Amino acid sequence: MKVLVVGNGGREHALVWKIYQSDKVDKIYVAPGNDGMTDLAERVDISASDINTLADWAYEHKIDLTVVGPEKPLVKGIVNEFEKRGLRIFGPNKLAARVEGSKVFAKNILEKHDIPTAEFEVFTEPENALEFLKEADYPLVIKAEGLAFGKGVVIATNQAKAEDAITRIMEDKVFGDAGSRIVIENFLEGEEISVMVFTDGENFIPLEFAQDHKAVFDGDEGPNTGGMGSYSPLPFVNEELQNRIHENILKPALDAFNQEGLNYKGLLYINMILTDMGPEVLDFNARFGDPETQVILPRMSTDIIDVFEKTIDQDLDNMQIEWDQRAAVCVILTSAGYPLTFDTGKEIKGLDDLNRYDNLLVFHAGTTKIGDKFYTAGGRVLGLTVLGDTIQDAISQAYGYIEEINFEDMHYRTDIGIPTRDFID
Ligand code: GLY
């Protein structure tokens, strides 16, 4: 079987790595991929967002299965383009991907179907939004409606900060049309967790729980990034809480998607918060989480090709996913200055020596290879995923391995694997 993976980050490297384990797979292509993946997959020079060219290329090359990493091609309708050409592709169709592409669409479904989520208002005019702020309680959460590279959510602790966010999003249009409408919602307090489920439109299978660390500095300080690390399983999610999440969130959300006629098939990733009142939905994502995928897939023992196939064939009720009981921790190494400004082109030293560790996986995100050396080429450079008997064991081994690798201006958090609430006094 020939498989195409769409995307170029650490999440896609983890997908390629997992797909490579399958006996059913003869050849993997990745578009556009990165230089760290080339021992597993052949790169194809087409952007992940160029959905028509990707679909034509896949048709010409008789690709048996395509798996999509990032949200942008999904929201643009890559699944519809592939299906038009009779090609098999894993991911939600264009309408279903709106659960991530439009925060207004998602919040309206949540409200209509009584699924726990923060109270909210939608604004299309900045004047009305600014007026609303005068009577509001703080903190407030302000969200650009559309895709904003993970930067479209602002937690405003006072009116001045909220005004600034609204001006930047709606008037300065820092996210372009993605900020034409905004959602303002109540701030919910609690532990944020990531819950991913495979769903074929009728049945669903939850994956193991994970948590990511979004802020750039230790103790959740500094601006949010695409993710500085992740870990799984979550010691504070017991069976009772899992059942509550299943009954109060997952089942109602997928029932709601059905009632709305979305025909959602693929991976749904719910960003959830555990409040004193119970779990509530913060956001839906129509794709695998990054860097959660880098800890979930190494723990999944089942052949992922079977899961993709059964999802597409609406046969997930005949599927069970087996898990490695070890814990996984992923620490992301970034270029200092990320997520703001940073330099690239720094030689990465020590990579080859890491191959000798059986319980370590190095997933490339922003790297480039020149000759036989790797150099930094982005903000998030590498993710080191370590499997250990316990979270603590995986953490200590991960930080031990990191000492063997370096590049100029390398930055990473030293507290990956510690639940967020432990940072609160
Ligand atoms: N872990 C955050 C994201 O994938 O959006």
Side-chain angles (χ1 to χ4, degrees):
M1 161 187 270
K2 290 199 278 186
V3 180
L4 168 67
V5 175
V6 176
N8 66 349
R11 165 184 52 204
E12 288 75 21
H13 193 178
L15 280 163
V16 165
W17 170 83
K18 181 67 182 161
I19 291 166
Y20 188 83
Q21 319 292 310
S22 173
D23 292 341
K24 302 181 177 70
V25 173
D26 302 307
K27 170 94 185 164
I28 309 176
Y29 296 93
V30 58
N34 67 48
D35 286 343
M37 306 177 186
T38 51
D39 49 346
L40 306 178
E42 182 178 329
R43 294 184 67 184
V44 179
D45 188 17
I46 305 174
S47 148
S49 304
D50 191 353
I51 61 173
N52 284 305
T53 309
L54 283 170
D56 288 342
W57 184 91
Y59 185 79
E60 277 161 30
H61 290 79
K62 300 188 168 44
I63 297 298
D64 300 296
L65 173 68
T66 297
V67 180
V68 187
E71 59 278 17
K72 199 165 168 194
L74 291 165
V75 170
K76 284 178 86 173
I78 190 170
V79 170
N80 306 56
E81 282 308 321
F82 272 62
E83 286 178 348
K84 251 190 240 167
R85 291 162 178 78
L87 295 165
R88 281 165 76 75
I89 180 163
F90 175 85
N93 64 58
K94 186 174 183 177
L95 173 64
R98 284 197 82 201
V99 299
E100 175 160 8
S102 164
K103 296 207 163 44
V104 176
F105 183 73
K107 289 294 283 191
N108 284 339
I109 291 180
L110 289 163
E111 182 178 54
K112 178 172 165 191
H113 294 270
D114 259 335
I115 300 165
T117 191
E119 280 177 32
F120 70 102
E121 300 278 342
V122 177
F123 295 94
T124 26
E125 302 300 333
E127 306 77 53
N128 297 344
L130 293 168
E131 191 59 34
F132 173 83
L133 297 184
K134 292 183 184 157
E135 303 295 322
D137 292 328
Y138 293 86
L140 270 184
V141 183
I142 297 165
K143 297 177 169 178
E145 175 182 16
L147 299 183
F149 324 104
K151 294 181 183 152
V153 177
V154 176
I155 297 170
T157 44
N158 57 44
Q159 189 177 338
K161 287 186 179 155
E163 283 172 0
D164 178 58
I166 289 168
T167 306
R168 287 189 323 106
I169 296 172
M170 299 188 87
E171 289 179 344
D172 302 344
K173 294 214 168 286
V174 289
F175 306 121
D177 286 346
S180 300
R181 279 203 294 185
I182 59 166
V183 173
I184 301 186
E185 65 182 31
N186 289 348
F187 175 77
L188 297 177
E189 223 158 310
E191 189 81 21
E192 268 185 55
I193 65 168
S194 304
V195 184
M196 296 194 269
V197 292
F198 285 109
T199 175
D200 61 10
E202 272 183 14
N203 314 286
F204 68 94
I205 307 182
L207 282 66
E208 292 272 292
F209 294 91
Q211 186 173 51
D212 69 346
H213 299 270
K214 295 190 177 75
V216 68
F217 299 124
D218 284 6
D220 268 352
E221 299 288 338
N224 273 356
T225 68
M228 295 297 293
S230 55
Y231 66 102
S232 172
L234 303 182
F236 52 87
V237 180
N238 59 23
E239 207 178 317
E240 191 218 324
L241 182 54
Q242 284 184 34
N243 290 339
R244 264 179 102 177
I245 290 172
H246 192 281
E247 291 308 311
N248 298 353
I249 307 277
L250 301 184
K251 204 171 170 314
L254 292 161
D255 284 347
F257 289 2
N258 271 337
Q259 285 166 37
E260 297 298 324
L262 302 191
N263 190 23
Y264 195 110
K265 281 187 186 187
L267 189 289
L268 174 70
Y269 151 27
I270 307 181
N271 190 18
M272 200 176 287
I273 187 151
L274 307 177
T275 72
D276 289 344
M277 308 293 289
E280 304 210 13
V281 175
L282 292 175
D283 285 308
F284 291 125
N285 298 288
R287 50 159 177 99
F288 286 91
D290 187 347
E292 291 91 328
T293 304
Q294 291 91 309
V295 289
I296 293 292
L297 296 190
R299 296 192 59 226
M300 188 192 284
S301 314
T302 306
D303 185 335
I304 200 164
I305 292 293
D306 289 342
V307 189
F308 290 147
E309 300 264 53
K310 285 191 186 292
T311 303
I312 293 169
D313 295 333
Q314 211 157 54
D315 195 19
L316 276 183
D317 54 342
N318 288 314
M319 184 85 225
Q320 264 208 314
I321 297 183
E322 306 294 337
W323 296 97
D324 184 332
Q325 289 311 307
R326 286 179 297 170
V329 169
C330 174
V331 182
I332 303 287
L333 308 182
T334 72
S335 305
Y338 168 78
L340 305 172
T341 51
F342 52 85
D343 290 333
T344 56
K346 313 290 183 190
E347 185 184 338
I348 304 170
K349 296 183 185 142
L351 265 181
D352 286 345
D353 290 344
L354 293 177
N355 290 336
R356 68 184 194 278
Y357 297 118
D358 287 345
N359 66 338
L360 168 67
L361 294 157
V362 179
F363 294 123
H364 287 240
T367 67
T368 187
K369 198 172 185 185
I370 303 172
D372 58 359
K373 290 180 179 165
F374 276 100
Y375 295 83
T376 64
R380 288 196 294 173
V381 177
L382 295 165
L384 268 60
T385 296
V386 175
L387 289 156
D389 290 336
T390 59
I391 296 278
Q392 199 45 56
D393 177 37
I395 293 172
S396 7
Q397 294 197 63
Y399 286 111
Y401 297 152
I402 286 174
E403 294 200 353
E404 299 187 31
I405 192 166
N406 72 80
F407 53 85
E408 200 184 317
D409 295 339
M410 181 169 101
H411 168 69
Y412 57 90
R413 277 180 63 160
T414 64
D415 55 2
I416 299 304
I418 299 174
T420 315
R421 62 177 161 198
D422 291 2
F423 303 135
I424 300 163
D425 297 330

